[in-house]
Amino acid sequence: MHTITKREKVTYTGSLLGQNMIYSMVTMYVMFFFTDLLHIPSESVTIIMVAASLWDAVNDILMGMIADRTRTRIGKFRPYLLAGPAFIAVVTILCFVNFGGSPAGTVAVAAISYVLWGMTYTVYDIPIWAISSVSSRNADEKNGMVTLGRIGGTLGTVIVSVGSVPLLNAFGGERSASAYTAMAAIVAISAAVLMILSGFVLRERIEPPVKGIPFRRNIHTILDNRPLKALMVSLLVVNMVNSIRQVAQMYFAVYVWGDSGYVTYIGLSLVLGMITGMALSPALIRRWDKKYLFLIACAAGAVTNFLPFVLGGGPVLGLIIIGFNFAFSGIASICSTSMLMDSIDYAEYKLGFRGEGIVFSMNTFLTKLSATLSKGILGLSMTLMGYQDNMEPNDAVRIGFSVIVFVVPAVCFLLSMAPMALYRLKPAQLESIRKELDSRRTAGK
């Protein structure tokens, strides 16, 4: 029996599309904007990113716990879906404004803006993903929602990848600070419109307990959940595959392939590859164990990520191989998110409460921590290779950015496979758990 309406599916896809437009723009350009447009030293930018990530460790978990304790007439997640988009749009624009002033003042404003961006992003990101786990009691329907969300997110990333350079050129080019401000305004406002619709349209069909879960007990959703802990370690590493390519692709396009326009073609490879992989994932998950699909996708992803570095051959061959690599990334993404929802069912089975908020808060934190580690790796690598803004490319810079875009993600794919040895939820066990949970909910009515 289908419970999720077509209207909800379209809205959910569009909301994640809008959210990832903002996320991708910030991930792709904020470090470049800080170093090359605001002229903040790469060491200082790295410190800003690390400090923001440390705060996110607290902020994300707190937000997850708050969401789990929220009880309103319209649900526990929808209030945040209505309130968050406007704040995200404003702070996103502030991250790309050159206010002038002293170097110290510029660093302070950049740091405050970026920390505020992470906080406002969290207010929306945790509820929009968590609501997928309460949108239906049917596992296949929830997997379908996750797939639509990931496809929407991928399309958002592609829109920014393909459209950002033409937007920048329309307003003054990649070396104009005002061009980034204009691009940020267009992306953030249009994305916020798509995002806010989720609060009006989406529905929560698995009701939380009447009494909220105490903070001290809520944390056991993670502490007493071995499959979730194994998955979290794996997600931290595998998320770096895409984040490190995103933060480095502008530098790579400019200094290795010689033209920022290649960012657009990388975006096209992304959409063709990721959407193909994601679209195939639900059928693959119905047929095979998603854990083993994840491991196969990671192994294949490692190989296809490393090949362009070994073979060389320039942009054309690189883009073709990257397209296949993105397909494996898409499969890994859907499988890991589906396993995350399985771990929520396991938590409810074992502890008596679901804790979607805190689980997806950790997912949000891991995503942002992966992006921060990626920026840290990029910043350290740029220091080691003697990078200076707007410099003439040399062999050290070309090899350095090639290693960052091709070799480091391949290693991340391989490392993400190891923790999955501790993830031992089997399809038959999950089916038994869901039947037991349905029986409990029926008895509790």
Side-chain angles (χ1 to χ4, degrees):
M1 179 179 177
H2 298 288
T3 55
I4 302 174
T5 67
K6 289 182 180 179
R7 187 180 176 209
E8 286 180 276
K9 292 176 181 179
V10 172
T11 301
Y12 193 68
T13 305
S15 298
L16 269 299
L17 184 152
Q19 185 207 31
N20 275 269
M21 285 172 60
I22 289 176
Y23 181 81
S24 296
M25 182 184 66
V26 172
T27 301
M28 287 169 58
Y29 291 112
V30 75
M31 191 167 180
F32 189 84
F33 183 78
F34 284 176
T35 59
D36 283 40
L37 281 302
L38 298 185
H39 305 293
I40 300 173
S42 59
E43 297 90 339
S44 298
V45 174
T46 301
I47 292 171
I48 291 172
M49 303 298 172
V50 171
S53 179
L54 291 174
W55 168 239
D56 276 339
V58 178
N59 175 56
D60 289 352
I61 294 172
L62 283 177
M63 181 61 209
M65 290 183 169
I66 290 169
D68 277 336
R69 290 177 62 84
T70 299
R71 300 292 183 274
T72 73
R73 181 176 56 82
I74 62 172
K76 63 190 268 189
F77 300 122
R78 289 175 62 203
Y80 303 106
L81 303 183
L82 291 168
F87 291 103
I88 297 172
V90 171
V91 178
T92 299
I93 296 168
L94 291 178
C95 286
F96 291 95
V97 175
N98 184 357
F99 292 97
S102 66
T106 299
V107 172
V109 170
I112 292 170
S113 298
Y114 187 73
V115 170
L116 286 175
W117 178 81
M119 293 174 66
T120 56
Y121 185 86
T122 294
V123 170
Y124 186 86
D125 188 57
I126 292 169
I128 192 62
W129 283 111
I131 203 170
S132 66
S133 70
V134 296
S135 60
S136 172
R137 298 182 187 278
N138 183 283
D140 287 339
E141 278 200 309
K142 289 191 285 188
N143 285 335
M145 283 290 275
V146 167
T147 301
L148 289 173
R150 290 296 184 187
I151 288 175
T154 300
L155 289 173
T157 299
V158 170
I159 288 170
V160 171
S161 297
V162 173
S164 56
V165 172
L167 262 181
L168 288 173
N169 291 337
F171 290 101
E174 68 193 58
R175 296 293 169 181
S176 167
S178 61
Y180 287 86
T181 307
M183 176 183 68
I186 291 170
V187 170
I189 293 171
S190 58
V193 171
L194 289 171
M195 291 162 65
I196 202 169
L197 292 175
S198 61
F200 292 103
V201 176
L202 301 181
R203 293 292 177 267
E204 302 175 26
R205 294 181 175 88
I206 298 179
E207 296 180 3
V210 175
K211 188 177 179 181
I213 307 301
F215 286 159
R216 194 174 296 176
R217 191 176 175 212
N218 201 185
I219 195 67
H220 285 276
T221 306
I222 296 171
L223 297 180
D224 297 341
N225 195 329
R226 182 178 293 179
L228 177 60
K229 288 187 286 188
L231 185 59
M232 282 165 45
V233 177
S234 183
L235 283 172
L236 173 63
V237 182
V238 80
N239 284 343
M240 290 179 63
V241 170
N242 286 331
S243 61
I244 201 161
R245 287 188 295 210
Q246 281 187 315
V247 299
Q249 68 181 13
M250 175 60 92
Y251 295 101
F252 178 84
V254 171
Y255 292 104
V256 179
W257 284 351
D259 188 346
S260 63
Y262 281 116
V263 170
T264 300
Y265 297 109
I266 293 173
L268 292 173
S269 293
L270 173 71
V271 69
L272 292 173
M274 289 285 281
I275 290 182
T276 298
M278 289 176 175
L280 291 172
S281 295
L284 295 174
I285 287 172
R286 283 193 294 270
R287 188 166 183 179
W288 290 294
D289 186 341
K290 63 193 74 173
K291 170 185 171 178
Y292 295 116
L293 284 173
F294 177 83
L295 293 173
I296 291 169
C298 287
V303 172
T304 50
N305 227 120
F306 192 64
L307 276 177
F309 183 79
V310 175
L311 298 177
V316 175
L317 181 60
L319 288 168
I320 292 171
I321 297 175
I322 286 173
F324 283 99
N325 181 265
F326 279 129
F328 296 120
S329 294
I331 294 172
S333 176
I334 297 298
C335 289
S336 61
T337 307
S338 183
M339 286 189 285
L340 201 66
M341 291 199 295
D342 291 341
S343 72
I344 294 173
D345 287 338
Y346 177 76
E348 184 181 4
Y349 171 76
K350 186 174 181 181
L351 304 173
F353 57 90
R354 293 180 64 77
E356 301 98 341
I358 193 170
V359 170
F360 280 96
S361 74
M362 287 305 301
N363 186 49
T364 295
F365 168 64
L366 292 172
T367 299
K368 289 193 283 190
L369 179 58
S370 296
T372 300
L373 291 173
S374 298
K375 294 183 181 81
I377 291 171
L378 177 60
L380 177 62
S381 301
M382 289 164 65
T383 300
L384 292 175
M385 68 178 77
Y387 173 84
Q388 307 224 347
D389 62 274
N390 211 18
M391 68 183 293
E392 283 295 318
N394 55 44
D395 287 342
V397 168
R398 292 190 188 95
I399 294 172
F401 284 127
S402 295
V403 168
I404 292 167
V405 168
F406 295 129
V407 178
V408 175
V411 173
C412 289
F413 262 131
L414 293 175
L415 291 177
S416 69
M417 298 169 67
M420 296 309 295
L422 299 175
Y423 184 94
R424 293 168 183 166
L425 287 178
K426 300 290 185 182
Q429 181 185 3
L430 286 167
E431 184 64 27
S432 176
I433 286 173
R434 292 191 181 105
K435 287 180 180 178
E436 171 64 20
L437 293 177
D438 285 341
S439 176
R440 290 182 191 176
R441 291 167 189 149
T442 302
K445 287 185 178 180

